[in-house]
Amino acid sequence: MKINPNQLDRGYLKFKNEFDRAVIKTLESGWYILGKEVEKFENHFKEFVGSGYCIGLNSGLDALILAFRALNISVGDEVIVPANTYIASVLSITENGATPVFIEPDEFYNIDADKIEAAITEKTKAILVVHLYGQAANMKKIRAIATQHNLFLVEDCAQSHGSKFEDKTTGTWGDIGCFSFYPTKNLGAFGDAGCIVTNNYEIYEKIHMLRNYGSKVKYQNDILGVNSRLDEIQAAVLNVKLEHYNELKKERISLAETYLNKINNKSIILPEIREMADAIWHLFVVKVENRDKFQEHLTSNGIGTQIHYPIPPHLSKAYGYLGYKKDDFPITENYANTLISLPLYDGMTEEEIMYVINVINRY
Ligand SMILES: *Cc1c(COP(=O)(O)O)cnc(C)c1O
């Protein structure tokens, strides 16, 4: 049997008729940028997360970049960020000229809240939390730290659509929640897309202008903006998917539970969920000491896997100028060397997941 790490066409085929109808309707409407579909999505999504405002944007990275721009974070400022994250989180800080201050992860692969306070300096302006792999970070504690030290709190929710900590959805704990709808994300479009959510009207108004050349009224440019608009076709696709999101979420949780209940190989360390945190299983990540050998075992049995992420941002060539070296963040580096993501996608069948589990248990 051949199993890919991801199988995006399954997600399309699940609701093919609805997607086809929505896309064609948009094409026939003659209106392609910032129209009814974007507005409908923004209204629906802000309700979905329980936030006051939503602004559709071009990508998750743009959402993060514009979040820090709206908060006036720039040269000379420091932003606290998990060392164990996708590089986009860090790029959003450096793109604004600010300096990332890395924090090691806890056993749930998210930022270790107990290590944040020691990293706060005079220059610290914000904490960027990433709800990695779909599991909410330790938000109660992090919210308290941000409030106590008067820091902005921004959430990277690219992997956590609808995931909660206690009964509050990720994206609503901070000043701004940033989402990606890249096709592989749990709520994925068929192209690039993203958004921010916030309860703050001033932030809303600023990012609303920033995304469209800094203008509120056409050809009146009040601030220096960019072009980061969500287009009508992607919004129409997202409107269909959001209608079915609860069903998709349930399916993923059930797949993850199958992995959790049926993998019984002692050399595979299964993911754990923090008390009060919720996981929507963007990825199903296991820890294996001899990862290359394990990956080879799966590959030779037709099973594709991925590594999220093999090189932590502080060791990437791009951030060489920050001057970090190997062993600066040993926990993060250990994760980079031992974590591996098993296949998980919308429409994965019982037969497929049982095949993966059997191959893993034979390792
Ligand atoms: C995907 C992702 C992003 C970036 O989203 P894009 O839409 O690809 O720009 C940012 N942060 C994390 C944690 C991600 O997984």
Side-chain angles (χ1 to χ4, degrees), residues 59-61 64 85-86 88-89 130 156 158-159 180 182 185 193 309:
S59 70
L61 176 60
L64 289 158
T85 185
Y86 181 52
S89 319
V130 185
D156 181 340
Q159 306 189 358
S180 165
Y182 181 76
K185 309 295 189 190
Y309 300 89

Side-chain angles (χ1 to χ4, degrees), residues 58-64 85-90 130-133 156-159 178-185 191-194 282-283 308-309:
N58 209 310
S59 70
L61 176 60
D62 272 5
L64 289 158
T85 185
Y86 181 52
I87 199 163
S89 319
V90 189
V130 185
H131 307 290
L132 205 66
Y133 309 146
D156 181 340
C157 306
Q159 306 189 358
C178 304
F179 290 84
S180 165
F181 307 117
Y182 181 76
T184 62
K185 309 295 189 190
D192 275 312
H282 171 57
L283 295 166
H308 298 95
Y309 300 89

Side-chain angles (χ1 to χ4, degrees), residues 9-273:
D9 54 335
R10 295 277 182 85
Y12 165 59
L13 293 171
K14 245 175 145 50
F15 310 111
K16 181 183 184 320
N17 290 340
E18 285 170 72
F19 286 131
D20 290 356
R21 223 181 306 132
V23 168
I24 288 170
K25 200 178 122 207
T26 307
L27 290 175
E28 287 174 348
S29 78
W31 191 282
Y32 307 124
I33 296 282
L34 297 185
K36 288 198 183 84
E37 293 292 338
V38 168
E39 217 170 280
K40 179 177 166 192
F41 178 71
E42 289 171 339
N43 284 328
H44 193 170
F45 195 73
K46 77 181 185 201
E47 258 164 52
F48 168 75
V49 296
S51 190
Y53 307 99
C54 171
I55 305 169
L57 300 166
N58 209 310
S59 70
L61 176 60
D62 272 5
L64 289 158
I65 291 173
L66 296 182
F68 288 120
R69 192 153 307 164
L71 298 172
N72 292 318
I73 285 169
S74 80
V75 181
D77 297 336
E78 290 177 358
V79 177
I80 286 172
V81 63
N84 183 46
T85 185
Y86 181 52
I87 199 163
S89 319
V90 189
L91 284 171
S92 71
I93 298 164
T94 53
E95 184 65 24
N96 282 292
T99 305
V101 174
F102 297 109
I103 303 288
E104 288 270 47
D106 56 23
E107 68 268 40
F108 306 102
Y109 309 132
N110 272 323
I111 190 167
D112 188 338
D114 293 333
K115 293 184 177 148
I116 293 176
E117 279 189 297
I120 295 173
T121 71
E122 293 273 280
K123 295 180 178 171
T124 311
K125 289 281 152 52
I127 301 171
L128 174 59
V129 168
V130 185
H131 307 290
L132 205 66
Y133 309 146
Q135 179 177 173
N138 193 356
M139 290 319 288
K140 192 134 197 198
K141 178 139 201 190
I142 297 169
R143 176 67 267 176
I145 294 170
T147 303
Q148 195 192 332
H149 295 268
N150 201 18
L151 302 174
F152 290 116
L153 179 57
V154 178
E155 297 177 75
D156 181 340
C157 306
Q159 306 189 358
S160 73
H161 315 78
S163 176
K164 291 179 179 177
F165 188 83
E166 293 190 332
D167 53 359
K168 209 165 149 57
T169 312
T170 54
T172 63
W173 283 86
D175 297 277
I176 307 178
C178 304
F179 290 84
S180 165
F181 307 117
Y182 181 76
T184 62
K185 309 295 189 190
N186 292 43
L187 182 63
F190 297 141
D192 275 312
C195 83
I196 67 99
V197 297
T198 183
N199 279 322
N200 181 312
Y201 181 76
E202 275 166 49
I203 291 172
Y204 161 77
E205 203 177 30
K206 190 150 179 204
I207 296 178
H208 203 253
M209 288 200 281
L210 282 172
R211 82 163 169 192
N212 196 20
Y213 297 113
S215 86
K216 224 187 305 188
V217 178
K218 207 171 184 179
Y219 304 128
Q220 277 182 36
N221 304 86
D222 302 332
I223 54 175
L224 298 176
V226 298
N227 171 2
S228 182
R229 299 173 301 221
L230 173 61
D231 70 76
E232 285 285 286
I233 292 179
Q234 297 309 332
V237 165
L238 288 168
N239 280 326
V240 171
K241 233 182 206 176
L242 193 49
E243 289 287 339
H244 295 288
Y245 189 72
N246 275 337
E247 178 187 333
L248 294 171
K249 183 174 151 186
K250 270 195 203 128
E251 180 185 293
R252 253 186 212 251
I253 291 173
S254 146
L255 288 165
E257 275 166 3
T258 306
Y259 273 140
L260 288 171
N261 293 333
K262 302 236 160 97
I263 295 176
N264 58 23
N265 188 324
K266 291 282 171 282
S267 49
I268 314 300
I269 299 172
L270 295 169
E272 290 183 40
I273 306 300

